[in-house]
């Protein structure tokens, strides 16, 4: 999964899997089937929000650069993709990129600098509201956060482009890696209606795979583009993302050979799968965390003392042990332990301490005046609805635990699932007061969209959290080059968030990926299980 994008992918943490139905040995040797628990909502890079959707769109659309995970450093290594090379000027405010001249869109048009400029144009357009909107702070911007195209881009031929950044903004290659869109296609439509295009223009792609067929609620079928510069003999010719909502059905089909890969295998089934010999397991430490979100704007959750109390009251260890089988770690903040140099190792997870929770709430004036088991303050009971997306067993389990834990300290909680689309809409429009969800940490780390007070720049600050010191740190981080200073700023940021607890950080979730051993050249990393799958081949 792509670094910068990942930042914006909510996790509701819908992981990815790729399955396939096989008719004969010849077809099976050309095809890989990956199981996915739910169908995609969109394969349009503008609106592909989920982790799963982003992984698929990255196979359909090229970016200027590509990334590989470096486990020893806990960071990414970047290399050319649509751009064959580049050079920065002396003060790193301008990058000149030379594009490959052998990339064609599926309809035969060449990919050019015009497509690149157009892509940044629409990604930053407030009328479009793409998943990248509000993330271009290092570019020259207009008042509405749209990139100032005249100041930001120069191009004197179809395959050379200069990108100019604001002074002292310390841009990097991750700032230029959104998927490239076909200008000659999208420019024919009203931008306010881009969201309606969804399936109509997904076939005009330029990646190593193209969309062959989308069977709603059943499968997404991709085929290798043999004209792509990424294609080589032996490449998997067909990828089928098979929608299998039921977890046990996914496991059964993996055992039967009906699918080749699935993610998020439960710990208690790993030994059975390994015993089959033809199934391999790859365990990836998590960069995805679940959290309980509290609307910081309402009186109920406006005090950090109250939010701390809620975290003390939740038995996160129970969820981690009983549901996740200890396949994860308790979270102390939004930076994953895999980011070795940026992670604050001095912070320790909140203990499960209901008595401490009661004391904190009492110090804020909450008491059970009516002796009915529910705390109240100024005539208002401590009662709320905890929403989560339906169809997610982990969240359902966590909601039940949290409801019971909080009842024990005098907080009345009603756990209510919502249909996924409804849940997402309400969450992103700040219409929920308490909810369970998850985030996938961007690679490299970019926390400004999640915790910045100005919601125009903090488009994923769904709790409406505000802290001026945090804003200052995020501004400094944005302007700092990678290294010890930036890492120290991240550690300071984590300390403040640890004290403020704008959400109850629950746990990091490890990902156990199981796949058929006929798959070769597969590399499972924090960037995703199908990342760079054009390098895969199938054992004969």
């Amino acid at each position: 999964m792509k670094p910068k994008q990942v930042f914006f992918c909510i996790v509701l943490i819908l992981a990815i899997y790729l399955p396939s139905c096989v008719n004969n040995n010849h077809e099976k040797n050309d095809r890989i089937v990956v199981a996915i628990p739910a169908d995609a909502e969109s394969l349009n890079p503008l609106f592909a929000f989920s982790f799963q959707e982003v992984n698929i769109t990255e196979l359909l659309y090229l970016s200027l650069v590509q990334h590989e995970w470096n486990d020893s450093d806990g960071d990414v290594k970047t290399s050319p993709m649509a751009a064959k090379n580049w050079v920065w000027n002396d003060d790193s405010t301008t990058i000149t990129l030379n594009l490959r001249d052998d990339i064609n869109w599926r309809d035969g048009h060449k990919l050019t600098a015009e497509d690149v400029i157009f892509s940044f144009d629409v990604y930053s357009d407030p009328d479009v509201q793409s998943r990248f909107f509000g993330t271009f702070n290092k570019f020259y911007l207009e008042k509405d956060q749209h990139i100032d195209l005249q100041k930001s881009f120069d191009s004197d031929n179809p395959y050379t482009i200069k990108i100019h950044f604001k002074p002292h903004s310390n841009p990097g290659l991750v700032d230029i890696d959104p998927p490239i869109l076909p200008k000659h296609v999208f420019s024919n439509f009203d931008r306010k209606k881009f969201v309606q295009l969804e399936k109509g223009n997904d076939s005009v792609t330029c990646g190593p795979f193209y969309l062959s067929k989308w069977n709603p609620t059943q499968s997404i079928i991709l085929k290798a583009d043999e004209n792509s510069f990424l294609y080589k003999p032996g490449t998997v010719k067909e990828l089928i993302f098979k929608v299998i909502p039921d977890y046990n059905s996914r496991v059964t089909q993996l055992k039967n050979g009906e699918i080749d890969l699935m993610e998020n295998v439960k710990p208690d089934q790993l030994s059975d799968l390994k015993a089959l010999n033809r199934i391999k397991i790859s365990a990836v430490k998590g960069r995805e965390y679940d959290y309980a979100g509290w609307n910081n704007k309402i009186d109920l959750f406006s005090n950090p003392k109250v939010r701390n109390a809620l975290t003390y009251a939740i038995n996160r260890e129970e969820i981690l042990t009983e549901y996740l089988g200890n396949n994860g770690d308790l979270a102390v903040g939004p930076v994953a332990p895999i980011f070795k140099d940026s992670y604050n190792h001095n912070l320790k997870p909140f203990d499960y301490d209901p008595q401490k929770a009661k004391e904190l709430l009492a110090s804020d004036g909450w008491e059970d005046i009516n002796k009915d088991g529910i705390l109240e303050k100024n005539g208002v009971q401590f009662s709320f609805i905890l929403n989560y997306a339906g169809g997610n067993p982990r969240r359902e389990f966590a909601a039940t635990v949290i409801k019971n834990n909080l009842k024990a300290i005098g907080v009345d909680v009603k756990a209510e699932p919502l249909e996924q689309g409804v849940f997402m809409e309400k969450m992103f429009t700040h219409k929920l007061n308490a909810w369970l969800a998850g985030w996938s940490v961007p690679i490299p780390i970019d926390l400004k969209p999640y915790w910045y007070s100005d919601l125009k720049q903090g488009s994923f600050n769904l709790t409406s959290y505000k802290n001026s010191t945090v804003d200052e740190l995020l501004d400094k981080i944005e302007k700092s080059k990678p290294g010890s200073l930036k890492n120290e700023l991240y550690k300071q940021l984590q300390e403040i968030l640890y004290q403020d607890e704008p959400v109850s950080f629950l746990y990091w979730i490890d990902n156990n990926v199981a796949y058929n051993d006929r798959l070769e050249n597969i590399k499972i990393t924090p960037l995703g299980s199908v990342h760079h799958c054009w390098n895969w081949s199938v054992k004969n």
Side-chain angles (χ1 to χ4, degrees):
M1 172 137 188
K2 194 159 291 181
K4 189 92 168 193
Q5 302 171 354
V6 169
F7 77 25
F8 297 109
C9 299
I10 292 178
V11 171
L12 286 176
I13 298 206
L14 304 167
I16 359 185
Y17 324 94
L18 286 113
S20 128
C21 309
V22 176
N23 296 324
N24 55 54
N25 288 335
H26 174 73
E27 287 183 344
K28 187 166 182 175
N29 286 337
D30 287 339
R31 166 190 296 171
I32 292 296
V33 183
V34 178
I36 54 177
D39 199 3
E41 293 288 331
S42 173
L43 295 182
N44 183 334
L46 291 160
F47 309 109
F49 280 95
S50 77
F51 195 83
Q52 169 180 292
E53 291 166 350
V54 170
N55 274 269
I56 298 175
T57 58
E58 286 177 1
L59 303 177
L60 301 173
Y61 297 86
L62 297 176
S63 297
L64 290 169
V65 296
Q66 59 183 325
H67 310 278
E68 286 283 2
W69 179 253
N70 185 326
D71 192 55
S72 60
D73 294 338
D75 207 344
V76 292
K77 179 182 178 182
T78 303
S79 58
M81 199 175 207
K84 61 183 179 182
N85 56 55
W86 54 81
V87 61
W88 291 93
N89 68 347
D90 291 340
D91 63 359
S92 295
T93 57
T94 295
I95 184 171
T96 302
L97 301 115
N98 295 306
L99 307 182
R100 300 182 64 104
D101 61 4
D102 58 350
I103 302 174
N104 291 329
W105 295 100
R106 285 290 297 168
D107 59 4
H109 284 74
K110 287 283 188 181
L111 185 151
T112 69
E114 282 194 7
D115 295 310
V116 176
I117 296 171
F118 175 81
S119 299
F120 282 101
D121 176 11
V122 295
Y123 281 134
S124 65
D125 190 335
D127 286 340
V128 176
Q129 288 293 311
S130 81
R131 79 174 193 259
F132 294 105
F133 181 70
T135 68
F136 299 102
N137 298 318
K138 297 182 181 181
F139 289 74
Y140 289 98
L141 299 177
E142 297 167 351
K143 289 182 179 180
D144 59 1
Q145 298 293 305
H146 183 254
I147 293 176
D148 187 321
L149 302 181
Q150 289 189 333
K151 288 184 178 180
S152 298
F153 300 100
D154 285 320
S155 179
D156 57 9
N157 70 71
Y159 302 107
T160 301
I161 182 172
K162 288 185 178 182
I163 304 178
H164 309 289
F165 297 92
K166 292 187 294 190
H168 312 297
S169 60
N170 286 311
L173 294 173
V174 293
D175 296 302
I176 61 168
D177 71 354
I180 302 169
L181 301 172
K183 178 181 178 180
H184 67 281
V185 174
F186 281 85
S187 60
N188 293 322
F189 298 92
D190 181 348
R191 292 190 179 192
K192 292 182 179 180
K193 297 181 179 179
F194 276 179
V195 71
Q196 300 172 13
L197 301 181
E198 296 310 323
K199 300 176 177 62
N201 293 276
D202 291 332
S203 59
V204 186
T205 57
C206 62
F209 291 87
Y210 64 91
L211 181 63
S212 174
K213 190 172 184 181
W214 190 345
N215 302 305
T217 73
Q218 296 183 47
S219 62
I220 299 169
I221 302 172
L222 309 186
K223 290 190 176 180
D225 185 346
E226 298 187 15
N227 294 316
S228 170
F229 70 93
L230 292 169
Y231 179 84
K232 51 183 175 289
T235 294
V236 172
K237 286 188 167 52
E238 188 173 58
L239 284 173
I240 302 179
F241 293 82
K242 185 177 180 183
V243 181
I244 312 175
D246 181 68
Y247 172 82
N248 291 324
S249 296
R250 294 198 293 272
V251 173
T252 298
Q253 293 192 34
L254 180 69
K255 290 179 177 179
N256 294 341
E258 295 176 62
I259 66 172
D260 296 295
L261 184 150
M262 68 172 286
E263 292 194 60
N264 293 330
V265 178
K266 295 179 181 178
D268 59 0
Q269 292 175 314
L270 294 176
S271 57
D272 287 346
L273 290 173
K274 289 177 181 177
L276 295 176
N277 294 324
R278 56 184 177 76
I279 301 295
K280 292 185 177 181
I281 305 293
S282 179
V284 182
K285 292 301 293 181
R287 67 181 177 96
E288 301 168 354
Y289 67 91
D290 274 4
Y291 70 91
W294 316 118
N295 184 343
N296 290 199
K297 290 177 66 176
I298 67 172
D299 291 341
L300 206 59
F301 303 122
S302 62
N303 191 334
K305 189 182 295 185
V306 170
R307 300 193 297 264
N308 273 258
L310 295 174
T311 302
Y312 276 116
I314 299 173
N315 192 347
R316 300 175 297 157
E317 190 76 51
E318 178 184 352
I319 307 169
L320 187 62
T321 302
E322 294 191 14
Y323 191 89
L324 292 171
N326 286 319
N327 263 345
D329 300 283
L330 294 181
V332 297
V335 177
I338 63 169
F339 301 103
K340 300 173 182 177
D341 293 332
S342 301
Y343 182 72
N344 192 328
H345 296 272
N346 295 323
L347 301 178
K348 305 303 177 186
F350 281 54
D351 294 325
Y352 172 51
D353 191 340
Q355 185 57 40
K356 176 73 171 176
K358 290 179 181 179
E359 292 171 0
L360 285 171
L361 291 175
S363 69
D364 190 49
W366 291 96
E367 54 183 326
D368 185 6
I369 298 173
N370 300 330
K371 305 302 179 184
D372 60 356
I374 303 176
L375 299 174
E376 59 182 275
K377 176 182 175 182
N378 299 327
V380 177
Q381 286 192 325
F382 205 139
S383 177
F384 60 88
I385 295 173
L386 180 69
N387 294 118
Y388 59 94
N392 187 314
R394 183 177 72 245
R395 302 264 164 73
E396 183 176 357
F397 183 91
T400 300
V401 171
I402 291 171
K403 174 184 176 180
N404 294 335
N405 289 162
L406 295 186
K407 181 180 180 180
I409 65 166
V411 176
D412 177 46
V413 179
K414 295 178 178 63
E416 293 186 2
L418 295 172
E419 187 274 325
Q420 181 180 316
V422 174
F423 175 79
M424 296 278 283
E425 187 275 332
K426 286 182 175 291
M427 184 172 66
F428 274 93
T429 53
H430 300 261
K431 294 178 181 176
L432 301 179
N433 288 330
W435 65 94
L436 292 178
W439 289 119
S440 179
V441 181
I443 299 179
I445 308 170
D446 182 6
L447 299 183
K448 190 168 187 176
Y450 302 87
W451 306 110
Y452 204 70
S453 298
D454 181 354
L455 297 186
K456 289 183 179 179
Q457 297 186 61
S459 54
F460 292 97
N461 181 2
L462 305 181
T463 62
S464 300
Y465 170 67
K466 289 187 176 183
N467 184 307
S468 58
T469 305
V470 166
D471 292 343
E472 291 174 9
L473 285 170
L474 289 169
D475 286 336
K476 289 179 180 178
I477 288 169
E478 189 175 58
K479 296 175 182 178
S480 299
K481 294 181 179 180
S484 57
L485 173 60
K486 192 166 193 172
N487 292 333
E488 180 58 33
L489 292 172
Y490 269 123
K491 291 174 183 178
Q492 293 177 30
L493 175 66
Q494 290 167 74
E495 287 183 11
I496 298 174
L497 292 175
Y498 182 76
Q499 295 164 8
D500 283 355
E501 199 74 355
V503 303
S504 287
F505 297 99
L506 298 177
Y507 28 73
W508 296 99
I509 302 162
D510 295 344
N511 184 11
N512 292 312
V513 181
Y515 60 93
N516 194 302
D517 71 350
R518 73 192 191 94
L519 260 175
E520 297 182 320
N521 302 322
I522 182 171
K523 184 178 180 182
I524 309 293
T525 76
L527 295 178
S529 63
V530 297
H531 184 67
H532 287 187
C533 64
W534 55 83
N535 292 320
W536 294 359
S537 58
V538 180
K539 189 188 303 181
N540 292 323

